[in-house]
């Protein structure tokens, strides 16, 4: 799909501290895109943003909301999972996989380039 992201970069902090910081307050690209923490695992945070695109909005209007009775789409969502792996004692390898808007993917790419070393930038639009 066109909205997929597969971004990996390193940060010069421990994995536990980076994970705690992202849990407490996600970085600006995630906050600005209105992602919310949806779930978490031992070393992974999952963020989700629900929205209604033009097609879903039109279906709701045309069907007068009746499309919900037969399970029609009423919302769309973007989901990203962020994994924090220790890379030695004082470095963290952050891997972001999922789908997001082009603006969010570009902002995450800039965030990674400004703060660490980008290892993989799949789905990140060129600056």
């Amino acid at each position: 799909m066109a909205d997929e992201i597969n971004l990996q970069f390193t940060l010069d902090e421990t994995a536990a501290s980076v994970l705690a910081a992202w849990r407490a307050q996600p970085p600006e690209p995630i906050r600005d895109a209105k992602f919310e923490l949806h779930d978490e695992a031992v070393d992974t945070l999952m963020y989700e943003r629900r929205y209604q695109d033009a097609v879903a909005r039109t279906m709701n209007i045309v069907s007068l909301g009746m499309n919900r009775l037969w399970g029609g789409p009423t919302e769309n969502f973007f989901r990203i999972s962020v994994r924090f792996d220790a890379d030695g004692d004082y470095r963290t390898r952050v891997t972001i996989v999922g789908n997001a808007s082009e603006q969010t993917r570009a902002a995450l790419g800039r965030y990674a380039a400004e703060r660490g070393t980008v290892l993989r930038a799949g789905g990140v639009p060129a600056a």
Side-chain angles (χ1 to χ4, degrees):
M1 290 177 71
D3 59 358
E4 291 180 351
I5 184 169
N6 188 345
L7 174 66
Q8 187 174 61
F9 59 99
T10 59
L11 296 173
D12 291 330
E13 296 179 53
T14 63
S17 66
V18 176
L19 174 68
W22 280 52
R23 182 186 299 123
Q25 184 171 8
E28 286 181 22
I30 294 176
R31 283 193 321 259
D32 291 348
K34 297 181 177 26
F35 276 89
E36 295 178 5
L37 185 61
H38 179 68
D39 198 6
E40 58 184 280
V42 174
D43 57 358
T44 304
L45 299 174
M46 279 78 69
Y47 294 95
E48 183 176 276
R49 175 180 176 249
R50 293 186 175 273
Y51 68 97
Q52 211 176 46
D53 67 2
V55 173
R57 228 175 290 128
T58 303
M59 287 297 295
N60 283 337
I61 292 168
V62 170
S63 71
L64 302 174
M66 299 297 285
N67 64 331
R68 292 181 180 169
L69 292 176
W70 61 82
T74 58
E75 286 187 313
N76 303 79
F77 56 88
F78 287 130
R79 283 188 184 148
I80 56 172
S81 107
V82 185
R83 182 176 167 99
F84 305 89
D85 293 307
D87 188 14
D89 289 339
Y90 300 103
R91 289 183 62 184
T92 302
R93 191 172 53 246
V94 179
T95 306
I96 302 174
V97 177
N99 56 7
S101 69
E102 183 175 355
Q103 296 83 6
T104 303
R105 289 181 285 126
L108 285 168
R110 286 191 301 274
Y111 175 87
E114 291 169 0
R115 287 168 179 76
T117 304
V118 176
L119 304 174
R120 181 176 56 231
V124 176

